Amino acid sequence: MLDKEPETSGKPSSKEPWLAVNWSMILPGLGHLYAGKPLQGWGIIVTYLALFVLSLVSVITAQETGLIGFGAIILFLLLGFGSWISAYRAAIRTNDSAFENHRKTLKDPWLAVFLSRFILGAGHLYMGKWILGSILIVAEILTWIYAPGFVFLGLWFVLPFVANHAYQAASDQRKSSKKYHIKIISTADYCPDRPICHIRPRYSFIDCRSSVYFIWRNGANSKD
């Protein structure tokens, strides 16, 4: 009985909280668009990009008196991480109790993807794949220690495959949100708020622009 996802009709819809967080990791505000909160979503996107530009200008110009620039950087980071929590809560508030009860009975594939984006193998450990998860974690740690230059290129290609494998390891892959699977996995490496991404930024505005349209079109107005 628990393996079958409950049917939902009309409102409220079934939005995955950890999928909303994954979208927010690509660009803060996307998670809110997915959760059906367009005003909050676009407001966060515009504010975040404005703070990004202000922070970038401050770093490039290297102004010693740039308290405004320093404040912009702090707000930039706080807004990025804060949007994850806000998007998670927004998605939960959208859901009905039947879907929420079902969601909590099995391990969440989108949480596995989220954990994989922080450190390789974390999603597999969450899914109970202890051997593979441990190998991946040790491999990333050793890479950072002995071959940090390889991390820039290596994780770029490896992370999407690892995140996909962690997702596929779930017994319940959430049929209602699986249409986002390829989009999220293919952009798993674009995470401006992942801590080590600030050391090795890998951000694609083209990808985020297409993601905004994709989420806006299929997220807020979709019937899961």
Side-chain angles (χ1 to χ4, degrees):
M1 293 293 291
L2 295 179
D3 292 334
K4 183 178 181 181
E5 191 168 341
E7 297 290 335
T8 58
S9 58
K11 294 183 178 181
S13 59
S14 52
K15 300 295 184 180
E16 295 285 352
W18 285 108
L19 174 55
V21 174
N22 276 284
W23 277 121
S24 294
M25 291 178 74
I26 298 175
L27 179 66
L30 291 186
H32 291 78
L33 295 182
Y34 162 74
K37 305 293 182 181
L39 292 180
Q40 294 181 34
W42 287 109
I44 291 174
I45 290 173
V46 172
T47 303
Y48 185 81
L49 294 180
L51 290 172
F52 173 80
V53 172
L54 185 58
S55 302
L56 185 63
V57 170
S58 176
V59 171
I60 293 176
T61 57
Q63 296 177 351
E64 297 297 335
T65 58
L67 290 179
I68 295 179
F70 177 76
I73 294 175
I74 298 300
L75 291 175
F76 172 78
L77 296 175
L78 290 177
L79 179 61
F81 290 115
S83 70
W84 302 1
I85 300 174
S86 180
Y88 181 90
R89 292 177 175 175
I92 289 180
R93 287 194 295 267
T94 305
N95 294 335
D96 59 7
S97 58
F99 178 78
E100 277 297 298
N101 291 334
H102 168 78
R103 186 180 67 81
K104 295 176 182 178
T105 57
L106 299 172
K107 291 192 174 181
D108 195 322
W110 294 114
L111 176 54
V113 172
F114 170 81
L115 294 173
S116 297
R117 297 172 73 168
F118 267 96
I119 182 170
L120 297 182
H124 288 79
L125 292 182
Y126 165 72
M127 284 296 176
K129 307 295 182 180
W130 301 104
I131 297 178
L132 180 57
S134 299
I135 292 174
L136 289 171
I137 289 177
V138 171
E140 179 166 0
I141 293 175
L142 292 178
T143 302
W144 274 104
I145 295 175
Y146 296 106
F150 179 75
V151 175
F152 291 86
L153 182 62
L155 291 184
W156 181 283
F157 293 104
V158 173
L159 181 55
F161 292 101
V162 172
N164 177 65
H165 192 273
Y167 177 92
Q168 298 291 348
S171 59
D172 179 14
Q173 296 178 9
R174 305 290 207 270
K175 293 181 180 180
S176 63
S177 62
K178 196 171 183 179
K179 61 185 177 183
Y180 298 105
H181 169 238
I182 297 300
K183 190 70 175 178
I184 284 288
I185 296 301
S186 64
T187 57
D189 221 29
Y190 298 102
C191 166
D193 292 313
R194 185 184 181 193
I196 60 177
C197 282
H198 294 297
I199 303 175
R200 50 183 180 86
R202 298 160 293 137
Y203 197 83
S204 170
F205 285 101
I206 295 178
D207 180 79
C208 283
R209 183 175 57 187
S210 63
S211 296
V212 169
Y213 175 73
F214 183 85
I215 287 293
W216 186 37
R217 186 186 63 184
N218 296 294
N221 297 323
S222 68
K223 293 183 179 180
D224 292 340

